[in-house]
Every structure is written in structure tokens, then in C-alpha cells.
């Protein structure tokens, strides 16, 4: 693989000769070896958005069949849901930072530890949360900018529909490019903040420069990750179907027994599967960042950020060849 050029304002937009399949394999081996990190992978994959979606789609049990539920019951349930949502956001943010740090540490030849991952996640929490907010605000703003010109002509009735469709077709590709650019920027900025210990503004600038300079390579990486996600999703669905078939017969015989057997089986399958996939996908994008940003960018980030790019969690990493990700599986 050729040397990575410095990512200044004049960086050339061209795909890097990066072996995405090697990164895919290394990420799979990393996730398989460090199974303890599946806990972080689970919370990195599950955020407060999942809870909000459930509340919007499902009628809470305490409202079922009641036109006017007691106000204190509604307030109590809403308060609990808000607290759980906040807790999930906090855990998700800490877990994402911990997985990024751990996969970068393994790539340097170190041995990631769950405790160090948690410590790094806690220390990087404010920066990661700030990047989350910035990404959300920019995403909403960009969506509104593209959506308003499409929605406004609809007020004119039938003729406005044609205009709205035409404007939507024109804005579709620019909006899609904006979504990808924003996604890659925040993805790389998170790794610049955790791995290279840049400040929030420096990490955003580094993420944007990297996304702009290497968008073709990042897009190929996204397609590889998408393929891996499809394989994961299909495999999970098949596993759940295999488990569900016998439970259907149990359900007709004894509904209580079906629930007693089904819920633990669901947890046993979904939790490790989600955790393993979350660990894999964060390792994959961290490897992409490390390969794309190059040693020169890391040195520049260390000088411009908050100190040198030391190992996450303050741990010493040995020199020499990278860690054998298949050795010592637990």
C-alpha cells in the first residue's frame, strides 16, 4: 500500500489502495477475540432512539383501554422513560468511544481491556456527545433545507405536486451527497477525537478534510460495511426464525410456557449478536480511519490537539508487530 498523502486543503480526491476486505477480516477477528467488548458493542448499537421508536409505535400498557388515565401515572411513566432514554444515550456514547479506543489499541499491537475501554469512554464522553449533537443539528438543518422547497409547492394543489416532484428529483442527489459527507465527517471526527486526542473543533475539521479528500474510498468502505450488515441481518433473522418455529407450537399448547422459554432465548440470541456486530462495525471504521489518515495527519493532530496521540486510557503499547487478533480467544 502506498504512503498516505497529507490531508491538507489541497488534498487530491482519489481512492486509496486500501484492502477493505483485510479490514473486514481483521475487524471480525477483533470482535471474535475480545468477546468481553460485546457489552460495549451492544450499547453502541442500542441508543435512546430505539426507546423513542417503541414509545411512538406501541401504546403503553397503562393507556390500554383508558380514555383518561390518571395524570400522576402518566407523569411517572414519562419520567421513567426519559431517565431510561438518558441512560441509554450515556451508555451508548461511552461504549462507542471505548470501542474506538480498544480497536485502535489492538491495531497498534496492544491488548485492549474492558476497564480501560470504559475509562477512555468516560473521559471522551463530552467530546463524543458534542459531536453527536453537531451531527444531529447539521442533519436536521440539511434535511429542512432540502425538504422545504419540496413541501411548499404542495400548497398549490395538483399543479404543485408536479413541481414538488421535479424539485425533489433535482435535490435528491445533492441531499444524498450531503448525508454521506456528514456521516463520514462525524465518523472520522469521533476517531480523531478518541484516537488522536484532538479537540472537538480540530476533530471536526480533521473529519471533514478526510471525508472530502477520501470520499470515494470511504464510499467503498461503506458499501463493504453495508454488505456485512446485510449478512448479519439475514443471519440474525434466520436464527430467530429457527427458534420461533418450535415456540409457535408451544404457544398453542401453553402460552405462559412459550413466553418463559422464548424471552430468555431471545435475549441469548439478540444480545451477543448485537454486541458482536457493534464491536465489529466500530473496529472496521476505526481501521478505515487509521489507514486513511496516515502517520503525518496523526502527528499534525497531536500537535494541534490536546497533547500527543498516546495509547487510549494511558496504557503502554508494545512496539513491534501488531497483535495477532486470533490468539488467546476467550
Amino acid at each position: 500500500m502506498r504512503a498516505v498523502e497529507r490531508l491538507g486543503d489541497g488534498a487530491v480526491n482519489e481512492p486509496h489502495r486500501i484492502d477493505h476486505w483485510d479490514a473486514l477480516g481483521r475487524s471480525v477477528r477483533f470482535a471474535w477475540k475480545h468477546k468481553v467488548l460485546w457489552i460495549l458493542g451492544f450499547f453502541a448499537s442500542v441508543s435512546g432512539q430505539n426507546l423513542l421508536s417503541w414509545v411512538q409505535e406501541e401504546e403503553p400498557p397503562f393507556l390500554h383501554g383508558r380514555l383518561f388515565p390518571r395524570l400522576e401515572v402518566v407523569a411517572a411513566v414519562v419520567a421513567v422513560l426519559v431517565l431510561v432514554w438518558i441512560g441509554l444515550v450515556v451508555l451508548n456514547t461511552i461504549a462507542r468511544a471505548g470501542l474506538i479506543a480498544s480497536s485502535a489499541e489492538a491495531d497498534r499491537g496492544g491488548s485492549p481491556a474492558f476497564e480501560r475501554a470504559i475509562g477512555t469512554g468516560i473521559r471522551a464522553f463530552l467530546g463524543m456527545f458534542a459531536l453527536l449533537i453537531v451531527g444531529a443539528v447539521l442533519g436536521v438543518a440539511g434535511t429542512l433545507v432540502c425538504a422545504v422547497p419540496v413541501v411548499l409547492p404542495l400548497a398549490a394543489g395538483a399543479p404543485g405536486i408536479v413541481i414538488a416532484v421535479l424539485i425533489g428529483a433535482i435535490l435528491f442527489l445533492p441531499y444524498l451527497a450531503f448525508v454521506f459527507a456528514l456521516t463520514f465527517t462525524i465518523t472520522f471526527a469521533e476517531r480523531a477525537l478518541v484516537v488522536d486526542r484532538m479537540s472537538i473543533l480540530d476533530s471536526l475539521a480533521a473529519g471533514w478534510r478526510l471525508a472530502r479528500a477520501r470520499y470515494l474510498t470511504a464510499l467503498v468502505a461503506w458499501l463493504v460495511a453495508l454488505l456485512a450488515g446485510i449478512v448479519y441481518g439475514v443471519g440474525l433473522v434466520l436464527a430467530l426464525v429457527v427458534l420461533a418455529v418450535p415456540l409457535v407450537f408451544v404457544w398453542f399448547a401453553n402460552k405462559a410456557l412459550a413466553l418463559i422459554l422464548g424471552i430468555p432465548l431471545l435475549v441469548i440470541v439478540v444480545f451477543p449478536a448485537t454486541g458482536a456486530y457493534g464491536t465489529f462495525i466500530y473496529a472496521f471504521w476505526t481501521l478505515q480511519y487509521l489507514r486513511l489518515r496516515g502517520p503525518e495527519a496523526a502527528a499534525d493532530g497531536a500537535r494541534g490537539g490536546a497533547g500527543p496521540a498516546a495509547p487510549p486510557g494511558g496504557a503502554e503499547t508494545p512496539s513491534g508487530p501488531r497483535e495477532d487478533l486470533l490468539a488467546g480467544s476467550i
Side-chain angles (χ1 to χ4, degrees), residues 291-311:
R291 303 299 182 267
L292 288 173
R293 65 97 155 97
E296 298 91 346
D300 291 343
R303 286 191 293 270

Side-chain angles (χ1 to χ4, degrees), residues 79-168:
V80 170
L81 291 176
V82 169
L83 289 176
V84 172
W85 177 77
I86 293 174
L88 287 176
V89 171
V90 171
L91 290 173
N92 173 270
T93 306
I94 293 174
R96 289 188 291 114
L99 288 175
I100 291 170
S102 296
S103 51
E105 184 178 355
D107 187 62
R108 284 193 297 263
S111 297
F114 182 79
E115 296 79 7
R116 275 203 309 277
I118 292 294
T120 302
I122 292 174
R123 287 191 293 275
F125 173 80
L126 290 179
M128 291 286 287
F129 185 74
L131 292 178
L132 177 67
I133 296 299
V134 169
V137 170
L138 292 177
V140 171
T143 300
L144 289 176
V145 167
C146 292
V148 169
V150 176
V151 174
L152 286 180
L154 296 178
I161 296 177
V162 177
I163 298 175
V165 171
L166 180 61
I167 295 176

